[in-house]
Amino acid sequence: MTRNASATETIGLYGTDASPDEQRAAFREGRVPVAVYGMGKIGLPLSLVYAETTGAVTGVDVDPDRVAALTDGTNPLDHEPGVSSLLPELVADDRFAATTDGEAAAAAARVHVIVVPTVIDGDSDPDLSALEAAVETVRSGLDPGDTVFVESTVPPGTCADVVEPILTAGDREPGEFGLAHAPERTASGRALRDIRGSYPKVVGGVDAESGRVAALVYGELTDNEVVRTSDARTAECVKLFEGVYRDVNIALANELATLTGAFGVDVIETIEAANTQPYCDILTPGAGVGGHCIPYYPYFLLDGVTDPAPLIRTARSVNERMPGFVVETLVDGLAADRPIEGATVALFGVAYRAGVPETRASPAVDIARRLDRLGATVLAVDPVLDELPAMPAERVAIDEIPDRDVDAAVLVTAHDEFRRVDWSALEREGADGSRRGVPVVDGRQALDLSETAHDVYTVGRGWD
């Protein structure tokens, strides 16, 4: 099941008597087969970097269509640079294969890497069901000397309190296998580059030997340094601290942006000037915070924490209110012309990030739902998405927008394709023959509509 390892006896790295140099050689020669569980936006690129190094990698996924595509060397993540060329090369060289048979992959592997999604449920509690299912699969084939790496973002203590008890529920005992957390530090659209070494790689084991093995393995994958923390719990907190730092900083920027009228200044200009001081690094405000990371990490970090942690909770609340602020601003701008009920609003951008076809926690979805509750008709424009997520909106192509009777517009995501929007075509002719614009809320400081008749509110700058 695992590539290039069948002709040679495989070895485990945990608790071995082999020297570090011998272990590195075995890893590079494919005598330490690897199974990566989860072929998503992080798991697939990670498995390919492993395959480049070891030549003995099996990617596991529950989606048979995805596995079939990978087996054919077809990249399901076409927004990830380099994956489309690297994948078929590694498949052809028998260095990487994909399967839905996780138990067979687990039985053949000596290193198990779990990269499955972790989200929050309706009560903002971490949902680790996908992780737990993957760990159960690993347990089915876990042998003494194997090592398990968890790259999924998890609440502190997950490796010790959740993963290890599952792995030892059968005939394995703690100390027979390695277990470490190795938080992914990867952004969509640059996954291969990040995995190969954009940043130091952090690892932390549940025991010293697990940490040693993790540092050895990831030292072979990355061109950057490996930072080994004192334990897995510390490593689990690292990614969460990174995300919470950004959430709090963005919340500060967003709160300042909502006060631009009260201050009587351009907040964006003020932030840029303030950031010329090296110890000041205020981020950029916007229509809201989306994605797989920042909206969830505060809840992971606070899972089981009884302390109020007011700063972290308030920051999340501020950022979650930004879609509401955008809608309120649009309603105010439209009020002089007509009520929001019955109005048609063009929503530009549904993906949470420019150029990336992902919609998890996108502020555009919240904005659309709020507008729908107010009785507006929402037209959603997003050229990078194949289909819209569940949201009350009609999908419209960029070139079709001028043919629709639009009463207002919101820019949520600054896709490059929006540069070709003919904004003047959204103007209307007044009773006196003059050109009349519509209110536009620019949530990303990306529009220059100075040559049009539109009234533009830029988050952080106010009405123009």
Side-chain angles (χ1 to χ4, degrees):
M1 182 61 63
T2 328
R3 309 305 82 185
N4 290 350
S6 57
T8 307
E9 182 180 357
T10 65
I11 69 168
L13 299 178
Y14 183 87
T16 180
D17 293 330
S19 71
D21 285 343
E22 291 172 331
Q23 293 173 59
R24 293 187 187 95
F27 181 68
R28 286 193 167 274
E29 291 166 4
R31 290 187 287 123
V32 186
V34 177
V36 180
Y37 306 82
M39 291 291 98
K41 69 185 188 75
I42 304 300
L44 175 57
L46 178 64
S47 68
L48 298 184
V49 175
Y50 263 99
E52 283 182 309
T53 307
T54 73
V57 175
T58 299
V60 180
D61 201 274
V62 296
D63 183 347
D65 291 335
R66 172 157 293 194
V67 167
L70 295 174
T71 300
D72 290 338
T74 302
N75 173 26
L77 306 174
D78 57 5
H79 63 285
E80 281 297 343
V83 170
S84 292
S85 58
L86 182 59
L87 172 62
E89 175 185 323
L90 294 173
V91 170
D93 290 345
D94 202 30
R95 301 175 71 85
F96 171 80
T99 183
T100 56
D101 191 344
E103 292 189 356
R110 304 310 306 269
V111 167
H112 309 264
V113 187
I114 300 174
V115 202
V116 296
T118 49
V119 295
I120 57 174
D121 61 21
D123 296 321
S124 297
D125 294 324
D127 180 357
L128 302 181
S129 56
L131 174 71
E132 291 168 345
V135 177
E136 293 278 4
T137 299
V138 171
R139 182 184 67 181
S140 71
L142 191 66
D143 290 321
D146 285 5
T147 307
V148 180
F149 300 141
V150 176
E151 287 228 5
S152 303
T153 304
V154 294
T158 297
C159 281
D161 300 338
V162 177
V163 177
E164 189 171 58
I166 294 175
L167 294 177
T168 56
D171 57 358
R172 296 275 72 85
E173 297 289 339
E176 291 184 345
F177 60 88
L179 173 59
H181 186 61
E184 59 89 3
R185 311 180 94 181
T186 308
S188 296
R190 47 176 293 165
L192 288 176
R193 178 173 56 174
D194 287 349
I195 294 166
R196 288 168 175 154
S198 294
Y199 318 104
K201 181 63 180 180
V202 176
V203 300
V206 296
D207 54 40
E209 175 66 359
S210 297
R212 182 199 67 79
V213 174
L216 183 143
V217 169
Y218 282 97
E220 296 301 295
L221 299 185
T222 181
D223 295 328
N224 213 312
E225 66 175 312
V226 176
V227 177
R228 181 178 167 187
T229 61
S230 58
D231 54 26
R233 183 182 292 267
T234 302
E236 289 163 344
C237 284
V238 168
K239 185 66 182 286
L240 302 180
F241 280 20
E242 293 171 5
V244 168
Y245 164 77
R246 288 181 56 80
D247 202 36
V248 171
N249 196 321
I250 294 171
L252 171 62
N254 281 338
E255 187 160 286
L256 292 173
T258 65
L259 299 174
T260 185
F263 294 150
V265 300
D266 182 327
V267 167
I268 302 299
E269 177 189 357
T270 309
I271 288 174
E272 290 173 351
N275 284 349
T276 59
Q277 170 57 258
Y279 59 67
C280 185
D281 186 22
I282 304 173
L283 298 179
T284 304
V289 180
H292 301 256
C293 303
I294 297 176
Y296 302 100
Y297 291 174
Y299 300 111
F300 282 15
L301 188 65
L302 298 176
D303 182 49
V305 174
T306 57
D307 188 274
L311 177 61
I312 297 173
R313 298 183 191 277
T314 299
R316 186 86 296 268
S317 177
V318 168
N319 289 332
E320 289 175 348
R321 286 201 302 266
M322 286 307 293
F325 173 78
V326 167
V327 171
E328 291 167 6
T329 301
L330 187 72
V331 171
D332 290 343
L334 192 60
D337 184 51
R338 58 160 303 157
I340 187 65
E341 185 175 6
T344 298
V345 180
L347 196 62
F348 289 89
V350 176
Y352 82 87
R353 181 177 158 202
V356 176
E358 297 175 4
T359 60
R360 185 180 293 182
S362 171
V365 176
D366 191 7
I367 289 172
R369 289 172 178 165
R370 290 171 182 268
L371 289 169
D372 179 70
R373 288 196 294 268
L374 293 172
T377 297
V378 181
L379 308 178
V381 185
D382 199 303
V384 308
L385 295 180
D386 292 331
E387 58 184 21
L388 295 180
M391 60 187 294
E394 174 190 350
R395 184 172 185 179
V396 178
I398 292 178
D399 296 336
E400 296 174 1
I401 281 292
D403 298 327
R404 306 299 291 262
D405 193 15
V406 173
D407 299 299
V410 181
L411 178 79
V412 183
T413 317
H415 293 312
D416 288 342
E417 290 85 347
F418 291 154
R419 295 176 181 175
R420 64 183 176 89
V421 173
D422 182 6
W423 290 93
S424 62
L426 302 186
E427 296 175 352
R428 299 176 176 182
E429 185 174 343
D432 59 358
S434 62
R435 301 299 296 171
R436 183 165 56 86
V438 301
V440 178
V441 176
D442 178 2
R444 300 298 172 191
Q445 305 88 41
L447 300 177
D448 180 4
L449 303 186
S450 57
E451 301 300 319
T452 72
H454 301 305
D455 294 322
V456 181
Y457 181 95
T458 302
V459 173
R461 291 201 162 110
W463 288 103
D464 184 6

